[in-house]
Amino acid sequence: MPDQKIPIKERYPSVTRIPNHVAIIMDGNGRWARARGLPRAAGHRAGTDNLRRVLPAATDFGVSVLTIYAFSTENWSRPLEEVRGLMTLLGEFIQRELRSLHANGVCIRHSGRLEGINPRLQAQIQEAVALTRDNKAITLNVAFNYGGRAEIVDAVQRIMRDGAPPEAVTEEMISRYLYTGDLPDPDLVVRTGGEYRLSNFLIWQAAYAEYYATPAYWPDFDEAELAKALETYSQRDRRFGKVPNN
Ligand code: IPE
Ligand code: IPE
Ligand code: MG
């Protein structure tokens, strides 16, 4: 257990730069469970519980926006029982945590299509977003029923419905019409579970994000693992196409 009395930034002095927006592909729940001889559902439960560690740590580090990839548009092709389990977990998470998230100043956002999610869960998501909309400690953006390509399709449809002439369409406009509209682009994308792919996550917004992958399964990704990702980020030279600084 890290000593909670010492401020987090003093405990990890190599973390010298804090990304404004961290986006995490929370992968490896199934393998975490399998390694313990448990059903995949137990991995998803442990993964959900893990937010209790990672969200406060990110808040303490001073991250402004934490996006978590919780359910992709592609995850509908998993067995029905697993899909149902993941839906139930989000509902339980909101029910169990909403009050304390609100008390801790967490602003909850949803990125993804509400359409397709069961109406009761839709209502829970909308309630959580509405209740916490003015909170300022950190924004927790939950990518649920999220797909980067679906998001771009939704944005283009809305732009066309709004009757924009072609020459009015700019990068800024498309960004504004995405689910993440008013949020800054991610500075750091973290993937747990050892794979090196985006899996349709924030494909527009992460165009210039730094990428960090770790073999740690999501339920094992704790404060120290987050600090490692931030340490690595601190050492990156973000050039945005310009010539190097030194
Ligand atoms: C990530 O863990 C959670 C979701 C995709 C919903 P996985 O369920 O993908 O775990 P692995 O990759 O099979 O280990
Ligand atoms: C990405 O993980 C989606 C989420 C973490 C919600 P997956 O396990 O679904 O991704 P693939 O199948 O390995 O690309
Ligand atoms: Mg996976």
Side-chain angles (χ1 to χ4, degrees):
M1 264 301 272
D3 185 345
Q4 301 297 343
K5 287 192 287 287
I6 304 169
I8 201 161
K9 283 183 189 159
E10 284 173 33
R11 277 186 274 126
Y12 301 100
S14 328
V15 177
T16 52
R17 274 199 307 153
I18 303 295
N20 196 25
H21 181 173
V22 177
I24 305 184
I25 302 169
M26 309 186 292
D27 197 19
N29 293 349
R31 282 163 286 164
W32 179 92
R34 195 156 73 166
R36 285 164 177 72
L38 297 169
R40 291 179 60 84
H44 294 314
R45 188 163 293 278
T48 308
D49 289 345
N50 193 38
L51 284 167
R52 286 201 175 148
R53 297 196 291 189
V54 175
L55 179 63
T59 311
D60 290 348
F61 269 119
V63 170
S64 313
V65 183
L66 180 69
T67 295
I68 51 171
Y69 203 6
F71 190 86
S72 75
T73 47
E74 288 70 32
N75 289 148
W76 289 106
S77 17
R78 293 190 177 198
L80 186 61
E81 194 193 328
E82 179 162 344
V83 171
R84 282 207 186 118
L86 289 163
M87 299 284 153
T88 305
L89 268 179
L90 179 64
E92 284 177 8
F93 173 76
I94 295 173
Q95 207 166 13
R96 200 183 59 210
E97 307 284 342
L98 183 57
R99 259 153 41 115
S100 85
L101 291 170
H102 185 43
N104 289 319
V106 178
C107 170
I108 299 170
R109 292 274 304 251
H110 170 238
S111 285
R113 281 187 183 156
L114 276 175
E115 190 188 304
I117 301 175
N118 102 42
R120 215 173 79 90
L121 183 55
Q122 283 190 31
Q124 282 179 290
I125 294 170
Q126 285 169 315
E127 185 203 335
V129 170
L131 177 72
T132 63
R133 59 177 305 143
D134 296 322
N135 290 346
K136 299 276 185 278
I138 190 169
T139 296
L140 177 66
N141 179 35
V142 184
F144 192 90
N145 195 19
Y146 174 88
R149 289 184 172 181
E151 178 180 38
I152 293 169
V153 169
D154 287 354
V156 171
Q157 287 188 354
R158 288 206 293 129
I159 289 171
M160 293 180 79
R161 256 187 238 119
D162 284 352
E167 58 280 7
V169 179
T170 59
E171 292 185 11
E172 290 68 32
M173 181 188 214
I174 292 175
S175 293
R176 230 178 21 249
Y177 273 82
L178 298 176
Y179 308 134
T180 49
D182 53 336
L183 298 177
D185 283 342
D187 303 289
L188 174 65
V189 173
V190 172
R191 182 165 189 142
T192 64
E195 314 290 350
Y196 295 87
R197 54 177 169 260
L198 280 176
S199 302
N200 203 12
F201 186 48
L202 302 179
I203 52 175
W204 175 280
Q205 298 91 329
Y208 246 108
E210 295 297 320
Y211 189 72
Y212 174 87
T214 170
Y217 297 141
W218 170 248
D220 292 327
F221 187 90
D222 58 7
E223 177 190 296
E225 291 285 346
L226 177 67
K228 254 197 272 176
L230 298 181
E231 265 169 42
T232 305
Y233 175 83
S234 297
Q235 286 155 14
R236 299 275 174 88
D237 178 19
R238 301 187 76 187
R239 289 196 285 279
F240 299 102
K242 299 175 190 146
V243 293
N245 284 320
N246 42 42

